[in-house]
Amino acid sequence: MCEIMTVAAAVVFTFIFAVQKKNRHNGKPVFTTMLMFWGAALMWAVDGIASVIGGDSFFDISREDTILGFIIVSFGLVVFALLSLLENRKAKARA
């Protein structure tokens, strides 16, 4: 379940980044968070492949895995908020 949640968050941040890039906004916090989620999704994909090789299923739809997914997405959103806050402070200092 954490794989599904992480990929969903990565897709959302990829879409936001594409819209920001099209509108010529500075998307550094969005880009960093997007890469974090895609990196986590890649890590879970490798773990899923290892599970399949070991004879288990690719997706783990357990309660613990769902909680882990919420923790990962929440942490990613906290990092995004902190990066955005720092970016806003830098922009105000330059102005």
Side-chain angles (χ1 to χ4, degrees):
M1 191 67 169
C2 62
E3 170 73 20
I4 296 168
M5 295 171 76
T6 307
V7 169
V11 168
V12 168
F13 273 90
T14 301
F15 178 75
I16 293 169
F17 178 71
V19 169
Q20 279 189 344
K21 190 167 183 151
K22 181 179 176 185
N23 294 334
R24 298 175 192 244
H25 289 287
N26 183 7
K28 202 173 206 179
V30 174
F31 181 71
T32 304
T33 309
M34 177 189 73
L35 288 180
M36 285 175 41
F37 280 128
W38 279 119
L42 178 63
M43 178 187 70
W44 296 126
V46 170
D47 185 51
I49 291 168
S51 294
V52 169
I53 291 171
D56 294 331
S57 65
F58 184 80
F59 292 111
D60 181 11
I61 311 293
S62 65
R63 180 180 175 183
E64 292 82 14
D65 203 55
T66 304
I67 292 171
L68 179 61
F70 280 118
I71 290 170
I72 292 165
V73 172
S74 298
F75 181 73
L77 293 175
V78 167
V79 169
F80 171 69
L82 290 174
L83 289 172
S84 296
L85 187 72
L86 290 173
E87 188 70 29
N88 286 341
R89 284 190 177 188
K90 284 181 185 179
K92 285 182 182 179
R94 282 185 240 141

